[in-house]
Amino acid sequence: MKVRLFKLAAVSLVGVTLLSLAGCGRDTDAAKASKVAFATVTQNPKRQVWYRLNTVTPKADSQVNDILIQQKGKVTDYQVKGISLSQLNHKSVGQVIALAENNEERAFNRELTSQRANYRGELKTDKINQKNSKQYTYKKGIAQANSEARHDQKLDNQFNKSTENLHFTATQAYPVSAKVGKNKSGKQVTSETIQLTAQKWQYGTATNGTVKQVKQHSNLRLNVQNLMAKPVTVSGTKYIGYYGSPDALVTQTTNAKAEANFDTPSVHGVK
Protein backbone atom coordinates (compact mmCIF):
# COMPACT_ATOMS: atom_id res chain seq x y z
CA MET A 1 0.00 0.00 0.00
CA LYS A 2 2.84 2.37 0.84
CA VAL A 3 4.44 1.72 -2.55
CA ARG A 4 1.26 2.62 -4.41
CA LEU A 5 0.86 5.83 -2.43
CA PHE A 6 4.46 6.77 -3.18
CA LYS A 7 3.98 6.28 -6.92
CA LEU A 8 0.80 8.34 -6.95
CA ALA A 9 2.53 11.10 -5.04
CA ALA A 10 5.41 11.08 -7.52
CA VAL A 11 3.05 11.45 -10.49
CA SER A 12 1.20 14.25 -8.74
CA LEU A 13 4.41 16.17 -8.08
CA VAL A 14 5.42 15.78 -11.72
CA GLY A 15 2.11 17.27 -12.82
CA VAL A 16 2.48 20.28 -10.56
CA THR A 17 6.04 20.89 -11.73
CA LEU A 18 4.99 20.81 -15.37
CA LEU A 19 2.69 23.76 -14.92
CA SER A 20 5.64 25.87 -13.83
CA LEU A 21 7.52 25.02 -17.03
CA ALA A 22 4.93 26.46 -19.38
CA GLY A 23 6.21 29.28 -21.55
CA CYS A 24 9.70 29.45 -20.00
CA GLY A 25 11.62 27.43 -22.58
CA ARG A 26 13.22 30.39 -24.32
CA ASP A 27 15.08 31.33 -21.15
CA THR A 28 15.82 27.84 -19.84
CA ASP A 29 19.52 27.03 -19.63
CA ALA A 30 19.83 23.27 -19.17
CA ALA A 31 23.17 23.67 -17.38
CA LYS A 32 21.67 25.88 -14.66
CA ALA A 33 17.92 25.19 -14.50
CA SER A 34 16.34 23.41 -11.55
CA LYS A 35 13.67 21.85 -13.81
CA VAL A 36 14.93 20.34 -17.07
CA ALA A 37 12.74 19.08 -19.94
CA PHE A 38 14.14 18.27 -23.38
CA ALA A 39 11.84 20.18 -25.76
CA THR A 40 11.53 23.09 -23.33
CA VAL A 41 15.25 23.83 -23.18
CA THR A 42 15.50 23.40 -26.96
CA GLN A 43 13.71 26.75 -27.35
CA ASN A 44 16.71 28.62 -25.92
CA PRO A 45 18.67 30.65 -28.53
CA LYS A 46 21.85 29.43 -26.83
CA ARG A 47 23.32 26.15 -28.14
CA GLN A 48 22.98 23.28 -25.67
CA VAL A 49 24.22 19.69 -25.80
CA TRP A 50 22.55 16.39 -24.88
CA TYR A 51 23.95 12.88 -25.16
CA ARG A 52 22.08 9.70 -25.98
CA LEU A 53 23.98 6.82 -24.38
CA ASN A 54 24.18 3.06 -24.77
CA THR A 55 23.55 2.55 -21.05
CA VAL A 56 20.51 2.92 -18.80
CA THR A 57 22.28 5.46 -16.58
CA PRO A 58 25.32 7.71 -17.20
CA LYS A 59 28.63 5.98 -16.45
CA ALA A 60 32.28 6.75 -17.14
CA ASP A 61 32.42 4.00 -19.77
CA SER A 62 29.04 4.85 -21.36
CA GLN A 63 29.35 5.11 -25.13
CA VAL A 64 27.68 8.06 -26.83
CA ASN A 65 25.41 7.01 -29.71
CA ASP A 66 24.04 10.47 -30.50
CA ILE A 67 25.23 14.00 -29.81
CA LEU A 68 22.20 16.29 -29.87
CA ILE A 69 22.68 20.03 -30.34
CA GLN A 70 19.66 22.15 -29.39
CA GLN A 71 19.03 25.73 -30.44
CA LYS A 72 16.01 27.90 -31.26
CA GLY A 73 13.51 25.04 -31.29
CA LYS A 74 15.61 22.72 -33.46
CA VAL A 75 17.81 19.70 -32.80
CA THR A 76 20.82 18.48 -34.76
CA ASP A 77 21.31 14.75 -34.19
CA TYR A 78 24.89 13.64 -34.84
CA GLN A 79 25.22 9.85 -34.84
CA VAL A 80 28.68 8.97 -33.58
CA LYS A 81 30.82 5.93 -32.79
CA GLY A 82 33.75 5.25 -30.48
CA ILE A 83 33.19 8.20 -28.13
CA SER A 84 32.76 7.69 -24.38
CA LEU A 85 30.88 10.08 -22.11
CA SER A 86 33.99 10.79 -20.05
CA GLN A 87 35.78 12.07 -23.19
CA LEU A 88 33.25 14.91 -23.45
CA ASN A 89 33.22 16.00 -19.81
CA HIS A 90 35.23 19.19 -20.18
CA LYS A 91 34.67 20.15 -23.81
CA SER A 92 32.90 23.32 -24.93
CA VAL A 93 29.84 23.19 -27.19
CA GLY A 94 31.96 24.22 -30.16
CA GLN A 95 34.50 21.48 -29.45
CA VAL A 96 31.75 18.87 -29.11
CA ILE A 97 30.20 19.88 -32.46
CA ALA A 98 33.58 19.77 -34.21
CA LEU A 99 34.24 16.33 -32.71
CA ALA A 100 30.80 15.07 -33.79
CA GLU A 101 31.13 16.28 -37.38
CA ASN A 102 34.65 14.88 -37.66
CA ASN A 103 33.46 11.54 -36.27
CA GLU A 104 30.59 11.36 -38.79
CA GLU A 105 32.89 12.26 -41.68
CA ARG A 106 35.45 9.60 -40.76
CA ALA A 107 32.67 7.01 -40.51
CA PHE A 108 31.39 8.16 -43.93
CA ASN A 109 34.81 7.70 -45.55
CA ARG A 110 35.30 4.28 -43.93
CA GLU A 111 31.92 3.07 -45.17
CA LEU A 112 32.57 4.28 -48.71
CA THR A 113 35.91 2.47 -48.80
CA SER A 114 34.37 -0.69 -47.37
CA GLN A 115 31.42 -0.68 -49.78
CA ARG A 116 33.66 -0.06 -52.78
CA ALA A 117 35.80 -3.04 -51.77
CA ASN A 118 32.67 -5.19 -51.33
CA TYR A 119 31.43 -4.45 -54.84
CA ARG A 120 34.83 -5.19 -56.35
CA GLY A 121 34.95 -8.46 -54.43
CA GLU A 122 31.50 -9.43 -55.68
CA LEU A 123 32.46 -8.71 -59.30
CA LYS A 124 35.61 -10.79 -58.92
CA THR A 125 33.58 -13.67 -57.51
CA ASP A 126 31.06 -13.33 -60.35
CA LYS A 127 33.81 -13.79 -62.96
CA ILE A 128 34.99 -16.94 -61.21
CA ASN A 129 31.44 -18.30 -61.06
CA GLN A 130 30.84 -17.52 -64.73
CA LYS A 131 34.04 -19.31 -65.68
CA ASN A 132 33.15 -22.34 -63.57
CA SER A 133 29.57 -22.46 -64.88
CA LYS A 134 30.82 -23.05 -68.42
CA GLN A 135 32.10 -26.43 -67.29
CA TYR A 136 28.52 -27.63 -66.95
CA THR A 137 26.18 -28.55 -69.76
CA TYR A 138 22.93 -27.45 -68.10
CA LYS A 139 21.82 -23.94 -68.98
CA LYS A 140 20.34 -23.07 -65.58
CA GLY A 141 23.73 -22.77 -63.88
CA ILE A 142 25.13 -20.57 -66.64
CA ALA A 143 22.05 -18.34 -66.65
CA GLN A 144 22.18 -17.89 -62.88
CA ALA A 145 25.86 -16.95 -62.90
CA ASN A 146 25.29 -14.42 -65.69
CA SER A 147 22.25 -12.94 -63.93
CA GLU A 148 24.16 -12.44 -60.68
CA ALA A 149 27.03 -10.83 -62.58
CA ARG A 150 24.70 -8.36 -64.33
CA HIS A 151 23.00 -7.51 -61.02
CA ASP A 152 26.28 -6.86 -59.21
CA GLN A 153 27.63 -4.84 -62.12
CA LYS A 154 24.50 -2.68 -62.02
CA LEU A 155 24.97 -2.00 -58.29
CA ASP A 156 28.64 -1.18 -58.81
CA ASN A 157 27.80 1.24 -61.64
CA GLN A 158 25.18 2.98 -59.49
CA PHE A 159 27.62 3.22 -56.59
CA ASN A 160 30.37 4.71 -58.76
CA LYS A 161 28.05 7.21 -60.42
CA SER A 162 26.58 8.43 -57.12
CA THR A 163 29.98 8.83 -55.44
CA GLU A 164 31.89 10.33 -58.37
CA ASN A 165 31.48 13.92 -57.12
CA LEU A 166 30.07 13.14 -53.68
CA HIS A 167 31.28 15.11 -50.68
CA PHE A 168 30.47 14.56 -47.03
CA THR A 169 27.62 16.67 -45.66
CA ALA A 170 26.79 16.71 -41.96
CA THR A 171 23.22 16.22 -40.78
CA GLN A 172 21.06 19.33 -40.52
CA ALA A 173 18.86 20.61 -37.70
CA TYR A 174 15.19 19.63 -37.51
CA PRO A 175 12.38 21.14 -35.40
CA VAL A 176 11.93 19.48 -32.04
CA SER A 177 8.87 17.25 -31.78
CA ALA A 178 7.27 15.45 -28.84
CA LYS A 179 3.96 13.96 -27.77
CA VAL A 180 2.82 13.77 -24.16
CA GLY A 181 0.40 11.47 -22.37
CA LYS A 182 -1.84 12.61 -19.53
CA ASN A 183 -3.60 11.01 -16.59
CA LYS A 184 -7.33 10.31 -16.60
CA SER A 185 -8.22 13.82 -15.48
CA GLY A 186 -6.14 15.27 -18.31
CA LYS A 187 -4.49 17.72 -15.92
CA GLN A 188 -1.13 16.04 -15.46
CA VAL A 189 1.42 14.79 -17.97
CA THR A 190 2.60 11.31 -17.04
CA SER A 191 4.54 10.23 -20.14
CA GLU A 192 6.28 11.64 -23.20
CA THR A 193 7.62 10.47 -26.54
CA ILE A 194 10.47 12.57 -27.92
CA GLN A 195 10.72 12.26 -31.70
CA LEU A 196 14.17 12.74 -33.20
CA THR A 197 14.97 13.26 -36.89
CA ALA A 198 18.39 13.00 -38.49
CA GLN A 199 19.98 12.54 -41.89
CA LYS A 200 21.66 9.18 -42.22
CA TRP A 201 23.94 8.07 -45.04
CA GLN A 202 22.57 5.09 -46.95
CA TYR A 203 25.30 3.11 -48.69
CA GLY A 204 23.11 1.31 -51.18
CA THR A 205 20.50 -1.41 -50.77
CA ALA A 206 20.05 -4.96 -52.02
CA THR A 207 18.57 -3.61 -55.25
CA ASN A 208 20.28 -0.23 -55.70
CA GLY A 209 23.90 0.81 -55.20
CA THR A 210 23.24 4.56 -54.96
CA VAL A 211 24.79 6.34 -51.97
CA LYS A 212 22.65 9.14 -50.55
CA GLN A 213 21.39 10.81 -47.39
CA VAL A 214 17.96 9.79 -46.11
CA LYS A 215 15.84 10.98 -43.22
CA GLN A 216 15.82 8.73 -40.19
CA HIS A 217 13.26 8.96 -37.39
CA SER A 218 13.60 7.55 -33.89
CA ASN A 219 11.45 7.76 -30.78
CA LEU A 220 12.44 7.98 -27.14
CA ARG A 221 9.54 6.90 -24.92
CA LEU A 222 9.54 8.18 -21.35
CA ASN A 223 7.45 7.56 -18.26
CA VAL A 224 7.75 8.68 -14.64
CA GLN A 225 10.42 6.05 -13.91
CA ASN A 226 12.70 7.59 -16.55
CA LEU A 227 12.85 11.00 -14.86
CA MET A 228 16.11 11.66 -13.02
CA ALA A 229 15.21 13.14 -9.62
CA LYS A 230 18.76 14.42 -9.13
CA PRO A 231 21.99 14.68 -11.11
CA VAL A 232 24.30 11.72 -11.63
CA THR A 233 28.01 12.51 -11.29
CA VAL A 234 30.43 10.97 -13.79
CA SER A 235 34.15 11.69 -13.44
CA GLY A 236 33.41 14.91 -11.58
CA THR A 237 30.74 16.18 -14.02
CA LYS A 238 27.04 16.24 -13.15
CA TYR A 239 24.42 15.01 -15.63
CA ILE A 240 20.65 15.38 -15.58
CA GLY A 241 17.98 14.03 -17.92
CA TYR A 242 16.27 10.71 -18.44
CA TYR A 243 17.22 7.19 -17.44
CA GLY A 244 17.20 4.89 -20.42
CA SER A 245 14.94 2.13 -21.53
CA PRO A 246 17.55 1.29 -22.64
CA ASP A 247 19.25 4.52 -23.86
CA ALA A 248 19.76 7.30 -21.32
CA LEU A 249 19.41 10.89 -22.57
CA VAL A 250 21.39 13.41 -20.51
CA THR A 251 22.90 16.88 -20.47
CA GLN A 252 25.50 18.49 -18.22
CA THR A 253 24.39 20.60 -15.27
CA THR A 254 26.04 22.71 -12.60
CA ASN A 255 22.88 22.72 -10.48
CA ALA A 256 23.15 20.09 -7.74
CA LYS A 257 19.38 20.31 -7.18
CA ALA A 258 18.37 19.91 -10.83
CA GLU A 259 15.69 17.37 -11.71
CA ALA A 260 14.23 16.13 -14.98
CA ASN A 261 10.66 16.76 -16.01
CA PHE A 262 8.25 16.20 -18.87
CA ASP A 263 7.46 18.87 -21.42
CA THR A 264 3.97 20.37 -21.71
CA PRO A 265 1.77 21.06 -24.77
CA SER A 266 2.34 24.79 -24.22
CA VAL A 267 5.90 24.31 -25.50
CA HIS A 268 6.39 24.76 -29.25
CA GLY A 269 6.57 21.39 -30.99
CA VAL A 270 4.92 19.47 -28.15
CA LYS A 271 1.45 17.97 -28.56
Side-chain angles (χ1 to χ4, degrees), residues 5 9 29 48 62 67 69 79 99 108 171 187 190 194 224 226 228 233 252 262 268:
L5 288 174
D29 186 340
Q48 303 182 86
S62 293
I67 293 177
I69 307 299
Q79 300 174 348
L99 178 65
F108 168 79
T171 186
K187 296 180 180 180
T190 57
I194 298 172
V224 175
N226 296 114
M228 294 173 63
T233 301
Q252 292 185 10
F262 294 123
H268 183 71

Side-chain angles (χ1 to χ4, degrees), residues 207-219:
T207 58
N208 194 306
T210 301
V211 177
K212 60 183 179 180
Q213 277 186 316
V214 296
K215 277 188 181 181
Q216 181 186 54
H217 303 283
S218 61
N219 294 327

Side-chain angles (χ1 to χ4, degrees), residues 182-198:
K182 300 178 181 179
N183 63 358
K184 291 183 179 180
S185 69
K187 296 180 180 180
Q188 296 173 352
V189 175
T190 57
S191 65
E192 180 174 1
T193 298
I194 298 172
Q195 300 163 328
L196 300 174
T197 302

Side-chain angles (χ1 to χ4, degrees), residues 56-168:
V56 172
T57 188
K59 300 178 181 179
D61 61 349
S62 293
Q63 292 296 300
V64 179
N65 291 331
D66 298 73
I67 293 177
L68 305 165
I69 307 299
Q70 303 172 312
Q71 187 180 31
K72 297 180 180 179
K74 293 185 177 182
V75 178
T76 305
D77 182 357
Y78 295 99
Q79 300 174 348
V80 298
K81 295 180 180 179
I83 298 177
S84 67
L85 184 61
S86 58
Q87 286 179 259
L88 303 170
N89 272 352
H90 305 294
K91 292 189 180 297
S92 67
V93 175
Q95 289 174 326
V96 170
I97 293 174
L99 178 65
E101 290 187 351
N102 181 262
N103 186 280
E104 277 200 340
E105 185 171 8
R106 284 190 286 111
F108 168 79
N109 290 328
R110 283 197 304 269
E111 287 295 333
L112 280 188
T113 300
S114 175
Q115 191 70 323
R116 184 175 288 110
N118 287 340
Y119 283 132
R120 289 176 179 175
E122 290 293 333
L123 293 176
K124 184 177 180 180
T125 300
D126 289 336
K127 289 182 179 180
I128 295 174
N129 290 339
Q130 284 178 305
K131 182 179 180 180
N132 291 338
S133 69
K134 293 178 181 179
Q135 299 175 12
Y136 302 100
T137 56
Y138 59 93
K139 296 181 179 180
K140 186 176 181 180
I142 298 174
Q144 182 177 349
N146 290 338
S147 176
E148 290 177 355
R150 287 193 299 271
H151 174 73
D152 291 338
Q153 186 63 64
K154 172 188 172 184
L155 296 184
D156 184 61
N157 291 342
Q158 291 170 333
F159 175 85
N160 290 330
K161 183 177 180 180
S162 64
T163 59
E164 185 176 4
N165 297 306
L166 184 65
H167 300 286
F168 171 77

